[in-house]
Amino acid sequence: MASNICTRLEIAIFMVGFVCANLVLAMCGNISEVFEYNWAPNHIISQGDQIELTLDNVSGCGFESKKKYLFGQASVQIKLIEGDSAGTVTAFYMASEGPVHDELDFEFLGNVSREPYLVQTNIYVNGTGNREQRHTLWFDPTLDFHTYSFFWNRHFIVFLVDGIPIRVFTNKEDKGARFPRQQAMSIRGSVWNADDWATQGGKVKTNWTNAPFVSTFRFFIINACELLPETDDIMAQCGKLGRFWWDKPAFVVLNRHRSHQLKWVRRKHLVYDYCKDKARFTELPRECIS
């Protein structure tokens, strides 16, 4: 694989389970052409097609894409912090700007040695999050790289791990729920200390004698509508129905195979779902209504 970072046009058909039916190289360049280091750049090492993010007792670090996107698919391969990672969070996410921002999160919550990572997903709409789900994984994410992806269109958002859906957030605006579909988001990654909550609710703190903590990102694939700087009419540019491959009928719902995979993940690996947290809500959030 060439030592660079590529933005690719990738048609991943739901009906055949996210298998690429066509792959066209749209743009290929080095990391600095696609991303910028916006937080503690002295803690980031760029090596070919990889970005190493380091956390120590001085700082974490982060990066984001120079461009913003509305709808489509974004993926990255990540190898998480090895050994005792308690208190740390590695994040791969998409976010817009401002106090009423939209955001899609993968947050990998570290743990003590030989205890499993938890993957927390969350969704912010107009500045409001609190839509967490947490999963264990069916593999050790510190031993090798695995692929984490967002698929996003006007119908739903799908969080995928190695092509397997672990969460679907369906557009239920017809029930009064909010759905992120009007704010373009940049693609971001970070590593930071969150030992006030990340591991066993904050009971286990970061052991700084194990620092530095390193997570490695590589092979970014971005196949989404890019918001061009010369226009601020995002809906005219990216919201026209039927213009893009992700608007095709095959991407309205999961196919049967992927639905079965999602059910398997929920049965075997889901450990928390805000929609099932009866102690948290006096009234069920509208997006949780079937």
Side-chain angles (χ1 to χ4, degrees), residues 127-156:
T128 302
N130 301 319
R131 298 177 173 91
E132 301 94 345
Q133 287 187 2
R134 290 186 180 184
H135 295 79
T136 57
L137 291 166
W138 49 95
F139 53 83
D140 184 341
T142 71
L143 297 180
D144 204 351
F145 288 91
H146 292 268
T147 302
Y148 306 93
S149 309
F150 301 105
F151 176 87
W152 174 33
N153 65 14
R154 68 187 69 249
H155 302 292
F156 56 12

Side-chain angles (χ1 to χ4, degrees), residues 64-84:
E64 70 175 295
S65 62
K66 296 179 180 179
K67 298 176 181 178
K68 293 180 172 61
Y69 307 91
L70 181 71
F71 302 140
Q73 185 165 312
S75 301
V76 69
Q77 294 181 354
I78 306 174
K79 184 179 180 183
L80 295 173
I81 297 164
E82 298 180 17
D84 185 351

Side-chain angles (χ1 to χ4, degrees), residues 27-242:
M27 186 188 77
C28 189
N30 60 41
I31 288 172
S32 63
E33 291 177 340
V34 180
F35 294 98
E36 57 189 359
Y37 311 142
N38 61 352
W39 174 27
N42 61 333
H43 282 59
I44 301 175
I45 298 175
S46 173
Q47 295 180 325
D49 68 342
Q50 296 188 166
I51 303 176
E52 292 185 356
L53 302 184
T54 299
L55 167 68
D56 58 25
N57 60 354
V58 175
S59 180
C61 58
F63 65 88
E64 70 175 295
S65 62
K66 296 179 180 179
K67 298 176 181 178
K68 293 180 172 61
Y69 307 91
L70 181 71
F71 302 140
Q73 185 165 312
S75 301
V76 69
Q77 294 181 354
I78 306 174
K79 184 179 180 183
L80 295 173
I81 297 164
E82 298 180 17
D84 185 351
S85 57
T88 70
V89 173
T90 299
F92 170 53
Y93 62 113
M94 299 183 67
S96 61
E97 305 292 342
V100 291
H101 70 290
D102 292 345
E103 185 173 326
L104 313 177
D105 295 336
F106 275 106
E107 292 179 314
F108 303 91
L109 312 184
N111 215 329
V112 294
S113 297
R114 294 181 295 278
E115 292 295 322
Y117 262 85
L118 288 179
V119 181
Q120 176 170 284
T121 58
N122 199 1
I123 297 162
Y124 285 74
V125 187
N126 292 339
T128 302
N130 301 319
R131 298 177 173 91
E132 301 94 345
Q133 287 187 2
R134 290 186 180 184
H135 295 79
T136 57
L137 291 166
W138 49 95
F139 53 83
D140 184 341
T142 71
L143 297 180
D144 204 351
F145 288 91
H146 292 268
T147 302
Y148 306 93
S149 309
F150 301 105
F151 176 87
W152 174 33
N153 65 14
R154 68 187 69 249
H155 302 292
F156 56 12
I157 299 161
V158 186
F159 295 77
L160 301 112
V161 176
D162 288 337
I164 296 174
I166 67 167
R167 179 177 185 176
V168 174
F169 185 80
T170 302
N171 185 339
K172 295 184 178 179
E173 291 177 308
D174 60 335
K175 298 183 183 296
R178 291 180 171 180
F179 187 82
R181 62 181 181 87
Q182 295 184 326
Q183 297 188 61
M185 304 188 221
S186 59
I187 298 165
R188 311 185 189 194
S190 63
V191 174
W192 47 290
N193 180 48
D195 64 4
D196 58 331
W197 65 271
T199 306
Q200 299 179 32
K203 294 179 181 179
V204 182
K205 302 300 182 181
T206 303
N207 184 349
W208 293 112
T209 64
N210 295 319
F213 303 98
V214 178
S215 284
T216 305
F217 293 62
R218 74 177 188 185
F219 194 39
F220 294 83
I221 298 177
I222 305 168
N223 179 12
C225 181
E226 175 189 319
L227 182 63
L228 300 176
E230 58 268 22
T231 179
D232 59 0
D233 191 344
I234 187 172
M235 296 310 295
Q237 184 174 318
C238 298
K240 186 176 180 180
L241 185 62

Side-chain angles (χ1 to χ4, degrees), residues 268-287:
K268 295 291 187 179
H269 295 280
L270 180 66
V271 296
Y272 176 79
D273 182 356
Y274 77 110
C275 286
K276 305 296 183 182
D277 192 343
K278 295 181 180 179
R280 185 171 177 180
F281 304 105
T282 56
E283 182 178 350
L284 193 67
R286 292 181 183 273
E287 66 269 14

